[in-house]
Amino acid sequence: MVMPYHQVNVLTGVKGCTVIEDAAKYAEIIKKAKRPLLVLGPLLTGNPFGDKILLEYALAIAAAGNIPTVATANIRGKMLEMGATPDSEYDVIEIINSLKKPDWPGVRNEGNHDLVMFFGIRSDLGNQGLSTLKHFAPHLKTMTMCKYVFPHANYSLPNIRKDEKWKSFLEELITKLKEEE
Amino acid sequence: MTQLEEKKNSFHHDHIWEVIRGDDQWEPVGPTPMPSPTDLRNWDMRLMKTYKPFYAPFCDLCCLCTYGKCDLTGSRRGACGIDISTQQARIILLACLIGCSAHAAHGFHILHYLIDKYGPDTKINLGDNVAIEAPNIRLVLGMKPETLGDLLKVTEYIGQQVVHMLDAAHTGQEGSYLDYESKALHIGMLDHVGMEVADLAQISAFGYPTSEANVALVECGWGSIDTSKPTIAVVGHNPASSTNVIDYLTASSLMDKVEVGGICCTALETTRYSDKAKVIGPLSHQLYFIRAGIADVILTDEQCIRTDMPEEARKAGSALIASSDKACHGLDEVSDWEVDDIVKAIVEDGKQVLILDHVKAGEVAVKTAMALAPKRRKDLITLEEGMELAKECKTCGICERVCPNLLQIGEGLAAVAKGDVTPLEKLFNQCLGCGKCEEECPRNVPIFKIMQLGARKGTYNVRQGRGPIMDREIRNVGAPLVMGTIPGAIALVGCSNFPDIDDIVDIVEEFAKRKYIIILSGCSAMVAGMKRDENGQTIYDKYPPDFDQGGVLNVGSCVANSHITGAVIKIANIFAGLPLRANYEVIADYCLNRVPAVGVAWGAYSQKAASIATGCNRLGIPVVLGPHSSKYRRLFLSDKADDDWTVMDGRKKELVQTYEPSPEHLLYVTETKEKAMVAIARLCLRKNDTPAGRQLKLNHYISIYKKYMGPGLPDDLQHFVRNDKDLPIVYKREAMTYLKEVGWKPKPVLTLPTLIGTYPSKVSLDAVVR
Ligand code: SF4
Ligand code: SF4
Ligand code: SF4
């Protein structure tokens, strides 16, 4: 069993995430998705690598994969400051509530999303939200970008101890997403 | 025909009639006296048609019976046939039952104690300014209680309902998540009744403040305790023993020689009894304070006390007296020993005791504290000692992994090792005081000891719990609240654990400045006072204590939460003139559609919080929760603008699609305090706002949005603008441009929106028109 970093998120159940360390594999899954969505949380104002805040990485991922974004909590202000406009604005519980419905038209009105990525949400709230989707949204897959194991996701990063490793992962992911097929 | 009339000539009818004294003429008996589990089911189903249960399962399994464990993922069902949603709802019902029982049993216990002391005919006395003494009891049971004996009958009814509902959770009973939720709503409603019983009894028999707003400010915080004096820490919720400590000190003229401080709600109860007692702090300070060894005696009663208290007290060298039959902690009962023998056993042999005689517990606590204090040292750690101890930490992060609030303790310790305690001060405010980190540290770093450097050790103040809102206050604010010119009444209740206790004071300040009415209770009321601004003032110094615009008041402990729902109910009764007696649907409908009240349980963790919030929801009061509360597993969410917002226009008696999602959700989690503030402002919108009221509310909504979410307008503004008269002048031009862009169309304005008439109910539409 893979232990999550935060033990309050330990899986008591039967259906857990697939842990993926390889950025190329992550990029491949994202590229295969027809209507991916990137949900951005308030922890993205953090600057663990000391060069730029996590939100810049998140926005680069969105740009590289042409992925629409959802601003949750109070991350919108920071996005606007950085010259980026979120495609939509929901709190995390609300976007999950919408994603649950197979016929929800999605943030671009092109149909519900088939892959939902979460980045920068408190791990306990995030994992609970992922549980909702695991149980009630079989029509989509979920993926996390934070440096912890999220047992209720479909695809999760491992617990990454060294921030540089996480940084290389994100950078490589951005590069791979930019690469043409 | 009312539900009761249908049962005429039955034992059931006669029993209810007798309990509520149906022949008393104060108001006609409404449709649902002493409701059965299904009497309000249609109301619940109507609520849940809009506010659908949203589940975030904590676990994929069920392990409640020996058929299991059963995997409930996907479309799987348990061996008994239950599915994942229904299982979540069953757990919610159980949580509500535990929470409701905690309050009702507190009430039951206090009543027995007081009836033994003063007799069953002791009058309920709330002073000259509270004529509607028991809004929840009047509303739910249809009874107007006059004595402690009447209150006992109320608890008997609650007890019967709790047994009935607990039965429904048995394997092979209820099979629908909606029905489990309806039962949870029933129990949540009864929780407010049980809380009301407990507090009415306490106020009447202990002479707590009532019928006045300007009650005393009491000292609060670690710094308020004079450690040179013998110190008694009372911990829990039930004041039966702590009030006896005060009585004994007063009778022996020792009040100035001994410190009595409380942790958790007993602190609020004891300071309601004597403003010389102190509030040490909220639940999250409990283990810190105990481990600091400042208390010579720890006197526990019930609820939210550390279950490892005997071990912790022993380590700290404090004496321990348990005084509740609900939390005996494995201790020997010595209730029939002589006082001096008990004191001797505690002081000389270190015996920890259970004393169920509250008078005796009070005397023993004082005598023990006085005997022990001279033998004990109460030194807190110095910075130099802390720096040395902190150097043991290798920032391995193991403590962070077990922390329920996901805190990076190691980083705080690393700063201390370098002589900087600032990060630790921040961490102390976020820390729940659970002790998991220290337990897990492989290097045995004494985190709690080092944390003393970051602990808030100042002296602050808290307004005494003042009990019910006065009838004249309701008369004054009823019209402006319902019309919207006071933009809302916001209650920040209960625990203050997560995610940062300073969030509460920030939320209070934001809305008090904007002239909302702010009501506090429990640990939230304490932490609201535990921050001083640049002028050295706390929230309680700065804002008036009235239930009026811009007022900040403390109703009291957890059980005083009943006065918050009570105030909302009284608005419908006193201001709108709707009868209360067993008239639940009409009043709840009024609250939902017309009273802009919002609950905030920001740091909630317990089952009591689950039932309190669920009870608010049945009454139509939306509640906002902090992020960790997603672990409660269930919310009540609408589909926002995509939902059907048809209501009945009570005046025209016709159905109207309003297209207005107000109030938008009934139980809602937000991740940050900023988002919570935006949500609170939005949840205060009601369909019957006058244009002036709506303008004011939208003004705050937009301004809070801009302050915390950045420039621009909320992307749902169009749903809340009925016509251009609703637009606040300052934002009018910007808003008109935006509305044009999104193709906004005017919407109907209703003066009497109601759900009555939109679902099957015995209540006629005429009942809501006054
Ligand atoms: S109660 Fe039902 S789901 Fe739970 S363990 Fe028993 S059979 Fe399985
Ligand atoms: S577990 Fe102990 S050594 Fe590791 S970071 Fe926490 S306090 Fe430091
Ligand atoms: S005591 Fe505080 S820091 Fe330690 S695990 Fe508990 S909440 Fe976290």
Side-chain angles (χ1 to χ4, degrees), chain B residues 381 389-390 392 413 438 441 443-451:
Chain B
I381 197 175
L389 292 171
E392 266 306 299
L413 296 180
E438 189 166 314
C441 174
R443 302 182 62 84
N444 298 316
V445 174
I447 299 175
F448 269 57
K449 198 171 224 173
I450 301 169
M451 193 67 117

Side-chain angles (χ1 to χ4, degrees), chain B residues 62-70 72 78-80 82 87 90 171:
Chain B
C62 173
C63 54
L64 265 187
C65 88
T66 62
Y67 277 170
K69 306 165 186 170
C70 295
L72 303 178
C80 62
I82 205 165
Q87 171 63 5
R90 174 158 69 154
T171 300

Side-chain angles (χ1 to χ4, degrees), chain B residues 92-212:
Chain B
I92 287 285
L93 171 62
L94 287 171
C96 290
L97 281 160
I98 297 171
C100 173
S101 301
H103 294 133
H106 169 169
F108 201 65
H109 170 253
I110 274 285
L111 269 176
H112 272 278
Y113 166 70
L114 293 173
I115 287 174
D116 277 350
K117 210 166 160 181
Y118 304 109
D121 298 329
T122 306
K123 291 275 180 211
I124 295 171
N125 177 8
L126 301 179
D128 297 336
N129 295 319
V130 183
I132 315 272
E133 75 303 307
N136 277 285
I137 297 170
R138 286 188 183 199
L139 177 65
V140 175
L141 280 84
M143 175 207 239
K144 187 170 162 186
E146 289 171 2
T147 61
L148 296 185
D150 285 346
L151 295 179
L152 204 55
K153 291 182 197 154
V154 178
T155 58
E156 282 161 7
Y157 161 66
I158 299 173
Q160 188 197 55
Q161 296 298 304
V162 165
V163 172
H164 212 93
M165 294 296 87
L166 193 51
D167 170 26
H170 193 276
T171 300
Q173 292 274 42
E174 196 53 84
S176 145
Y177 68 94
L178 288 171
D179 267 310
Y180 266 131
E181 293 295 358
S182 170
K183 289 173 167 60
L185 289 160
H186 186 64
I187 289 300
M189 172 187 76
L190 294 178
D191 189 12
H192 288 260
V193 175
M195 292 189 288
E196 191 168 270
V197 167
D199 216 36
L200 294 192
Q202 294 179 165
I203 295 171
S204 306
F206 291 137
Y208 283 175
T210 177
S211 273
E212 65 168 316

Side-chain angles (χ1 to χ4, degrees), chain B residues 359-679:
Chain B
V359 178
K360 199 173 271 184
E363 184 178 345
V364 170
V366 174
K367 288 188 165 163
T368 305
M370 296 191 65
L372 265 185
K375 304 182 183 181
R376 300 183 65 245
R377 287 178 62 87
K378 302 175 187 177
D379 301 327
L380 296 183
I381 197 175
T382 63
L383 178 61
E384 291 67 35
E385 288 166 340
M387 286 171 69
E388 262 329 290
L389 292 171
K391 282 180 189 147
E392 266 306 299
C393 169
K394 298 295 170 228
T395 50
C396 68
I398 287 176
C399 51
E400 182 188 342
R401 299 191 64 167
V402 296
C403 175
N405 207 13
L406 326 175
L407 300 176
Q408 296 177 346
I409 281 289
E411 292 180 11
L413 296 180
V416 171
K418 294 186 200 129
D420 176 9
V421 296
T422 319
L424 214 60
E425 285 168 355
K426 174 86 185 140
L427 282 165
F428 183 74
N429 287 333
Q430 298 171 318
C431 169
L432 321 179
C434 70
K436 293 291 294 172
C437 51
E438 189 166 314
E439 177 185 75
E440 219 57 45
C441 174
R443 302 182 62 84
N444 298 316
V445 174
I447 299 175
F448 269 57
K449 198 171 224 173
I450 301 169
M451 193 67 117
Q452 286 173 9
L453 295 170
R456 232 178 229 192
K457 295 187 281 291
T459 306
Y460 308 90
N461 60 31
V462 178
R463 183 130 348 244
Q464 261 181 335
R466 57 111 110 179
I469 310 304
M470 293 178 279
D471 298 4
R472 89 171 118 76
E473 291 177 296
I474 301 283
R475 246 169 245 126
N476 291 342
V477 304
L481 264 177
V482 170
M483 289 172 188
T485 45
I486 293 179
I490 300 165
L492 291 102
V493 306
C495 340
S496 53
N497 290 350
F498 293 95
D500 185 327
I501 61 175
D502 274 351
D503 290 351
I504 293 191
V505 69
D506 294 343
I507 296 173
V508 170
E509 181 102 55
E510 182 70 63
F511 287 97
K513 268 194 313 213
R514 294 172 182 273
K515 302 241 180 270
Y516 288 67
I517 304 173
I518 309 293
I519 312 141
L520 294 151
S521 73
C523 286
S524 291
M526 301 179 201
V527 302
M530 292 180 77
K531 191 174 180 183
R532 292 192 183 276
D533 67 8
E534 56 286 0
N535 303 317
Q537 290 198 303
T538 73
I539 277 287
Y540 294 107
D541 296 320
K542 283 197 277 191
Y543 296 95
D546 307 295
F547 187 76
D548 202 346
Q549 49 180 320
V552 174
L553 53 118
N554 171 16
V555 282
S557 65
C558 279
V559 291
N561 282 316
S562 56
H563 306 312
I564 301 174
T565 41
V568 176
I569 294 167
K570 285 208 262 188
I571 289 173
N573 180 234
I574 297 176
F575 165 67
L578 295 168
L580 287 191
R581 194 173 195 182
N583 199 20
Y584 195 88
E585 277 168 88
V586 168
I587 299 294
D589 176 71
Y590 187 89
C591 298
L592 175 73
N593 285 299
R594 294 195 263 173
V595 184
V598 176
V600 182
W602 192 241
Y605 85 112
S606 71
Q607 295 88 9
K608 289 184 291 177
S611 62
I612 294 171
T614 304
C616 286
N617 293 158
R618 195 184 222 190
L619 192 60
I621 303 173
V623 177
V624 176
L625 303 165
H628 60 284
S629 288
S630 51
K631 292 192 261 177
Y632 277 117
R633 304 173 176 81
R634 181 267 276 133
L635 301 172
F636 287 122
L637 304 179
S638 80
D639 289 333
K640 304 187 18 150
D642 296 337
D643 233 309
D644 175 4
W645 294 95
T646 299
V647 297
M648 183 66 77
D649 180 336
R651 293 203 202 287
K652 294 191 185 148
K653 301 203 164 114
E654 60 188 31
L655 291 171
V656 180
Q657 165 59 286
T658 65
Y659 303 101
E660 178 176 295
S662 66
E664 195 175 43
H665 303 300
L666 268 190
L667 191 61
Y668 181 55
V669 155
T670 66
E671 187 170 4
T672 59
K673 68 175 176 200
E674 292 84 0
K675 193 74 180 187
M677 290 192 259
V678 175

